[in-house]
Amino acid sequence: MAKLSTEELLEVFSEMTLLELSGFVKAFEEKFEVTAAAPVAIAAAGGAAAPAEAAEEQDEFDVILEGAGDKKIQVIKVVREIVSGLGLKEAKDLVEGAPKPILEKVAKEAAEAAKAKLEEAGAKVSVK
């Protein structure tokens, strides 16, 4: 198998949906017996003094779907509306797999608007 450059890999990943990318990460973790979350935990533990500074300058937010609530179908519709290019099956899997990130590294206004739409549909959402 030919080796792919970093740029080629990034191009392939950029064309994948969130669910396809999530599936890749799970397969990678299983194949190599690693956890993608471990470096994040180590970085968070190591930077105890930095969070106060980072909180003041934060300009990118993640919208996390905590749960669909009683109106799962309405939440799926809103997720498809918010996340461009997401099919019905992918949106359903995303909602059923909560807690999951819906949007990552978006502006505060976009995060708040998405949160409002999802909560209006009956979902439990957090913005981090």
Side-chain angles (χ1 to χ4, degrees):
M1 179 175 182
K3 291 186 178 185
L4 297 174
S5 71
T6 302
E7 291 299 319
E8 292 169 324
L9 284 172
L10 288 174
E11 182 64 30
V12 170
F13 291 143
S14 70
E15 294 173 2
M16 296 173 81
T17 66
L18 287 176
L19 289 175
E20 290 171 334
L21 204 49
S22 175
F24 168 76
V25 170
K26 287 178 186 175
F28 186 90
E29 290 174 342
E30 290 172 8
K31 170 88 175 168
F32 297 104
E33 298 177 0
V34 295
T35 303
V40 175
I42 293 169
E53 295 172 14
E56 294 173 16
E57 298 177 18
Q58 184 175 3
D59 60 348
E60 294 180 336
F61 297 86
D62 296 341
V63 179
I64 314 287
L65 177 67
E66 301 293 339
D70 296 335
K71 302 177 182 177
K72 186 166 67 170
I73 294 173
Q74 286 82 356
V75 173
I76 292 170
K77 288 179 182 179
V78 172
V79 167
R80 287 190 69 203
E81 179 183 322
I82 292 172
V83 182
S84 62
L86 204 59
L88 182 59
K89 182 179 181 343
E90 291 87 5
K92 180 179 180 271
D93 292 343
L94 190 64
V95 169
E96 290 177 346
K100 292 275 187 175
I102 300 294
L103 296 173
E104 296 176 327
K105 297 181 180 179
V106 295
K108 184 174 183 175
E109 295 81 22
E112 292 298 327
K115 179 180 178 184
K117 283 183 179 181
L118 286 164
E119 285 179 341
E120 185 178 315
K124 183 177 177 191
V125 182
S126 64
V127 176
K128 297 181 181 180

